[in-house]
Amino acid sequence: MTEIRPRRSVLSMPGSNARALEKAASLPTDVVMIDLEDAVAPEAKDESRRAVAGAVGQGRFGRREVVVRINPLDTPWGETDLAAIAPAGPDAILVPKVTGPDALVAVGSRLRRLGAPERTRVWAMIESPMALLHIAEIASSARDVDTRLACLIVGPNDLAKASRVRLGVPGRPALMPWLMNVVAAARAYEIDVIDGIYNAFRDAAGFLAECEQGRDCGFDGKMLIHPGQIDPANAVFGPTMEAIAEARAILAVFADPANARRGVVDFEGRMIERLHAVEAARVVAMADAIAARAA
């Protein structure tokens, strides 16, 4: 089994907002995503970059996973962002506007040259029609260890702008075929995939419904824009107590020496296979990882 890391909630914080970054260190989000791109005005980028590099390097965020979204490498700020942030040792660099594997290869090679820790991974934003057309190639670059690719994030606002589909329609019918393609690509190459933001952050019922839809579609978590969205996202994308108990029971059934040679067993009136044990092990590992982070 690949490493299990809770990514139920990915809270986006502007790198230019020192108070927000300080507050993030006390929030129950799984991931703090510090943005140096869209959330930071051009005139504030240099100061924000220095502040973010300092905050990351000092390890202010505890056990939370820390991801920094840099500007694209083909902008005036991208290379400088990477040079400042990589040595600080974030858990990941989030690359925006990815349209193919080349950008990921470029970032991966620079991380090594800049002395980024080996644990620093690369995440990719999927936010354009071109990215959707090349999603399998993008995800497959995870097989190249030099890219360090570990996660995809969907950017629905940019997708909608570029493709002219309408957002705000319950159930996201126009986006669903694309979202499922991204999930399929992530699963094919064994990396995580995060659902995009829900813009109406005061609409609790709509946010909850979209979280449940994302979970049912196979997403590992959701990108958030407000601290009030953290608890609902954690609840929806995390395993329930009932699911954890059942998973442990399934593992116990297959661990019974009497079932050692059986591929299929009777479990509480239904037939389960070894594949159910694999999924049960993942649920238990996720529950243990969540508990360890909260300790």
Side-chain angles (χ1 to χ4, degrees), residues 235-258:
V236 170
F237 287 99
T240 65
M241 296 303 295
E242 293 80 5
I244 297 168
E246 180 178 274
R248 294 190 189 279
I250 289 173
L251 292 178
V253 167
F254 279 105
D256 186 337

Side-chain angles (χ1 to χ4, degrees), residues 224-235:
L224 315 178
I225 55 173
H226 192 275
Q229 297 175 323
I230 297 172
D231 287 342
N234 284 347

Side-chain angles (χ1 to χ4, degrees), residues 33-280:
M33 195 283 281
I34 306 174
D35 190 10
L36 292 175
E37 192 210 12
D38 290 342
V40 179
E43 60 271 18
K45 288 190 184 291
D46 289 343
E47 181 180 352
S48 298
R49 183 189 305 116
R50 288 191 294 269
V52 170
V56 173
Q58 293 167 18
R60 296 181 187 175
F61 302 97
R63 297 186 180 183
R64 296 161 191 82
E65 193 170 5
V66 179
V67 179
V68 180
R69 178 161 71 173
I70 63 170
N71 288 274
L73 294 184
D74 60 358
T75 68
W77 312 285
E79 294 281 3
T80 310
D81 286 348
L82 201 55
I85 300 301
D91 291 290
I93 296 290
L94 176 56
V95 184
K97 310 295 190 293
V98 172
T99 58
D102 290 351
L104 304 178
V105 172
V107 169
S109 65
R110 284 164 174 77
L111 287 176
R112 182 170 293 100
R113 189 177 71 242
L114 293 166
E118 186 59 33
R119 63 175 176 79
T120 297
R121 302 288 90 191
V122 170
W123 292 19
M125 288 292 302
I126 306 302
E127 48 191 338
S128 70
M130 188 63 72
L132 295 172
L133 290 176
H134 294 281
I135 190 60
E137 298 168 52
I138 292 169
S140 70
S141 65
R143 294 285 174 86
D144 179 353
V145 296
D146 290 334
T147 69
R148 306 191 185 195
L149 182 63
C151 189
L152 307 176
I153 301 186
V154 175
N157 287 331
D158 286 282
L159 274 176
K161 177 182 177 182
S163 62
R164 302 176 192 169
V165 305
R166 288 181 58 198
L167 293 181
V169 180
R172 302 185 286 182
L175 287 178
M176 286 311 299
W178 298 338
L179 297 182
M180 294 310 303
N181 280 341
V182 177
V183 171
R187 294 293 166 253
Y189 293 100
E190 300 179 302
I191 56 178
D192 279 356
V193 58
I194 305 300
D195 199 1
I197 66 170
Y198 184 79
N199 292 312
F201 63 86
R202 290 190 175 90
D203 177 11
F207 175 72
L208 182 62
E210 192 163 290
C211 282
E212 291 172 342
Q213 181 195 46
R215 174 201 61 199
D216 294 346
C217 289
F219 284 99
D220 295 290
K222 194 159 183 66
M223 187 173 171
L224 315 178
I225 55 173
H226 192 275
Q229 297 175 323
I230 297 172
D231 287 342
N234 284 347
V236 170
F237 287 99
T240 65
M241 296 303 295
E242 293 80 5
I244 297 168
E246 180 178 274
R248 294 190 189 279
I250 289 173
L251 292 178
V253 167
F254 279 105
D256 186 337
N259 296 321
R261 296 180 178 276
R262 296 180 180 177
V264 180
V265 297
D266 180 356
F267 176 76
E268 297 181 354
R270 70 180 194 269
M271 302 307 292
I272 58 172
E273 305 174 55
R274 293 283 172 181
L275 63 89
H276 295 103
V278 173
E279 175 58 19

